[in-house]
Amino acid sequence: MKFRVERDALAEAVAWTAKSLPNRPSVPVLAGVMLRVTDGNLRVSGFDYEVSSQVTVEVQGDADGAALVSGRLLAEITKALPAKPVDIAAVGAHLELVCGSARFTLPTMPVEDYPALPEMPQSAGTVDAAAFATAVSQVAIAAGRDETLPMMTGVRVELSGSTLSMLATDRYRLALREIQWQPDDPEVSINALVPARTLNDTAKALGPLGGEVTLALAQGAAGEGMVGLAGGTRRTTSRLLDGANYPPVRSLFPATHNAAARVPVSTLIEVVKRVALVAERATPVLLSFSADGLVVEAGGSEEARASEAMEATFTGDALTIGFNPQYLIDGLANLGSQTAVLSFVDAFKPAVISPAGEDGEVIPGYRYLIMPIRVSR
C-alpha cells in the first residue's frame, strides 16, 4: 500500500474514526484503524463489535493495499503534522508516514485478524443533516450516563410517517424533539433505542457537511438490531439497545398547566450560574415567580446564600419551585430560541420548558421536562 493524501483530509478522517474506538479493547486489533486503498480512494475504518465508523477520502494511490495501525496514535500524529501533503506506505510490518521533513515509522497489526465491518442496514429514509444534528443535540442532553441502566443511556427514535421523533430521559428530566423527514415508506412505523453517545457524536460530525443523512434500521432480537447513519463520505453503524420495556414517558408531559412564565434565555442562564456558585452538589436553585417577576435563590454551606431578581412575565398564582441548576441550564441552553416559556402545574409536579418566538408564543417541536426538587423553607 502506498499513497499521497492532503493532511487536513487525513487528519479529519482518522480523528473521526478513532473517536469511537474503545479505551480498553477486548483484543489489541480493535484499538486500530484500518487504512485500505482501492482505486484512488482511501477508506479509514474502525470497529469494536458495537459501533463501526468508516470514511472515504480521495488520494493519489500508487499501490492498493491495507494496513492496521493504532488509531489514537495515528490521530495524534496526523493532527500535529505540518500543512503539507502526506505520503504513506506500508513496508513489511511497519507503516511509514512522511510529511515535509517529518517522518514517522509505526508498527502495524495483522490485517487478517481484524473483524469485517457490518453492512449498512436497509435505508428507512433521509433527513436534513443540519436539522438532524440540532435535534439530536437537544435530546441527547437528557439521556442517562449510568451504564448499569443501559435503557436510559439511549435515545428512543420513533418513525411515524413523515414525522421523526426522538426522546431521552435519565428519570430526572425528559427531552422530546419532533422534526420532518423523508421516509422511503410513507406508512412507516418503527421505534428503535439508539445509544445516545454514538447518535450524538455521529450527528455532530454529519451536520456541518450539509446535505442529507440517510437513516437505516434493521430490527432484530434483543441486542441484534442495528442502526446506520450515512452522510457524504461517512457512515456509522451501531447496535441498538433493548428498548422493549422502554417506559411510556410521553405521558409525563402534563396535558394542562396552571401557571406559565416567559423569560429571556441568556439572562436566566447567567443568573442561575451566578446564584448556583454557593450551592453545594445536589442542592437546588429556587425560582420564585410572581407578578413582579422572578427571584432566583440558592443556599450553601456555612450559611452562604445568593439571590438575584430578573424580569419575567408570569401568569398564575405565585409559585416557588426548586430545580437542579445544571439540568435547568442544559434545558435552556438547547432551546435554540431567545425566549423560554416555563409551564407549571404546581411546585411539586414536573415543569416543561419550551422555546418561544418573538411574539412570546410557544414554538412547537421541542419540549424539555424537568422534575422539581422538593425543598423545605
Side-chain angles (χ1 to χ4, degrees):
M1 181 184 74
K2 187 176 182 182
F3 64 93
R4 168 173 280 203
V5 61
E6 291 300 318
R7 177 257 188 188
D8 287 352
L10 177 65
E12 283 183 18
V14 174
W16 186 67
T17 305
K19 190 173 183 179
S20 60
L21 296 178
N23 291 318
R24 297 182 180 85
S26 54
V27 288
V29 291
L30 296 184
V33 293
M34 177 72 78
L35 306 177
R36 188 179 296 276
V37 175
T38 314
D39 299 329
N41 285 309
L42 165 67
R43 198 163 68 237
V44 185
S45 51
F47 185 39
D48 67 353
Y49 290 114
E50 294 289 332
V51 179
S52 78
S53 300
Q54 183 176 294
V55 59
T56 304
V57 180
E58 288 188 5
V59 299
Q60 297 176 26
D62 293 332
D64 290 354
L68 182 65
V69 295
S70 167
R72 289 203 159 80
L73 179 58
L74 185 61
E76 289 177 3
I77 290 171
T78 53
K79 184 171 65 175
L81 291 175
K84 296 179 180 179
V86 184
D87 291 297
I88 294 179
V91 182
H94 291 84
L95 188 77
E96 292 188 354
L97 186 153
V98 179
C99 181
S101 59
R103 179 182 294 270
F104 293 86
T105 301
L106 307 179
T108 58
M109 294 176 274
V111 170
E112 59 273 14
D113 291 350
Y114 199 70
L117 267 65
E119 293 295 321
M120 278 283 283
Q122 182 177 349
S123 168
T126 59
V127 59
D128 179 78
F132 182 65
T134 300
V136 170
S137 66
Q138 288 180 309
V139 172
I141 193 70
R145 274 86 169 154
D146 185 356
E147 297 295 338
T148 62
L149 295 170
M151 190 185 297
M152 296 299 161
T153 65
V155 171
R156 180 177 167 89
V157 177
E158 299 177 350
L159 308 178
S160 178
S162 62
T163 301
L164 188 161
S165 304
M166 290 180 280
L167 300 115
T169 181
D170 59 5
R171 299 179 300 162
Y172 305 105
R173 51 187 171 163
L174 164 64
L176 166 63
R177 183 72 165 98
E178 295 176 336
I179 59 175
Q180 295 297 298
W181 77 310
Q182 296 78 45
D184 292 343
D185 175 9
E187 304 297 319
V188 66
S189 180
I190 302 175
N191 299 327
L193 192 59
V194 184
R197 181 182 168 190
T198 301
L199 183 63
N200 197 30
D201 286 349
T202 305
K204 196 182 295 182
L206 297 179
L209 300 178
E212 293 184 329
V213 170
T214 298
L215 179 62
L217 283 169
Q219 302 284 53
E224 293 180 4
M226 185 168 289
V227 63
L229 296 165
T233 59
R234 303 183 183 195
R235 53 160 266 198
T236 291
T237 67
S238 172
R239 283 183 183 271
L240 296 175
L241 297 168
D242 181 6
N245 298 314
Y246 198 78
V249 291
R250 277 179 182 262
S251 62
L252 293 174
F253 286 104
T256 60
H257 60 269
N258 299 322
R262 282 167 178 75
V263 293
V265 171
S266 58
T267 305
L268 182 53
I269 290 174
E270 290 171 8
V271 170
V272 171
K273 284 181 177 179
R274 274 195 295 270
V275 170
L277 292 173
V278 301
E280 295 175 318
R281 185 180 176 85
T283 301
V285 292
L286 296 181
L287 278 65
S288 297
F289 294 94
S290 68
D292 297 328
L294 168 62
V295 177
V296 183
E297 305 171 78
S301 60
E302 299 177 0
E303 299 181 359
R305 302 198 65 80
S307 69
E308 186 169 344
M310 60 173 284
E311 290 185 5
T313 305
F314 182 71
T315 55
D317 294 334
L319 176 80
T320 297
I321 190 166
F323 295 122
N324 175 306
Q326 191 55 55
Y327 292 175
L328 180 58
I329 289 168
D330 287 346
L332 292 166
N334 284 279
L335 283 182
S337 67
Q338 295 182 356
T339 304
V341 173
L342 284 71
S343 305
F344 310 98
V345 176
D346 59 43
F348 309 108
K349 298 274 193 338
V352 177
I353 304 175
S354 307
E358 292 182 4
D359 57 1
E361 293 300 310
V362 169
I363 301 171
Y366 182 57
R367 287 181 288 170
Y368 182 91
L369 179 144
I370 179 169
M371 303 294 288
I373 299 176
R374 293 191 177 223
V375 288
S376 55
R377 302 191 69 185

